[in-house]
Amino acid sequence: MTNNEASVHGYWVKDGGDCPATGTVTVELQALGCSQFGCTWITQETDRAPDVKPGSGTGRWATPHKACANNNSTGWRGRVDTALKDFYDPFGWEDGPAKDLNCSPA
């Protein structure tokens, strides 16, 4: 939480092998939405960072933000997908851990 907004940072790490020097990181910021039919993760914002080097830090991550409508406790999580440049990588998202924040999405 910063400035009455929920946000998440997403990046990629090199895990050995012959990975390329850069990749495009896409991050979804999701809030848990519940109704009489159950609960589901709802994407609130998406951010994409093209051609970033592996590792965390300024200029190496995507950071979606969503303003808070009120301070009701809500579950939030981030999802990350990385597309490596000119390199096969399996499709799929990595879901981060859920965290309750005093921020209901606007």
Side-chain angles (χ1 to χ4, degrees):
M1 290 281 304
T2 305
N3 298 325
N4 202 39
E5 291 182 331
S7 66
V8 66
H9 292 40
Y11 57 92
W12 73 285
V13 294
K14 188 172 181 177
D15 193 23
D18 296 325
C19 290
T22 63
T24 296
V25 176
T26 304
V27 180
E28 292 181 346
L29 176 63
Q30 297 184 321
L32 191 60
C34 297
S35 71
Q36 63 188 9
F37 303 108
C39 297
T40 189
W41 291 103
I42 301 168
T43 299
Q44 302 296 315
E45 294 293 335
T46 302
D47 189 32
R48 181 172 286 117
D51 299 320
V52 292
K53 294 181 180 181
S56 64
T58 302
R60 292 187 177 203
W61 51 39
T63 310
H65 298 263
K66 180 67 176 180
C68 302
N70 56 50
N71 63 353
N72 293 343
S73 182
T74 303
W76 292 85
R77 75 174 184 184
R79 302 179 78 210
V80 179
D81 181 60
T82 302
L84 300 177
K85 192 170 188 172
D86 299 324
F87 195 82
Y88 169 78
D89 64 291
F91 177 79
W93 293 85
E94 290 292 325
D95 298 334
K99 183 173 184 176
D100 290 335
L101 300 176
N102 291 329
C103 172
S104 181

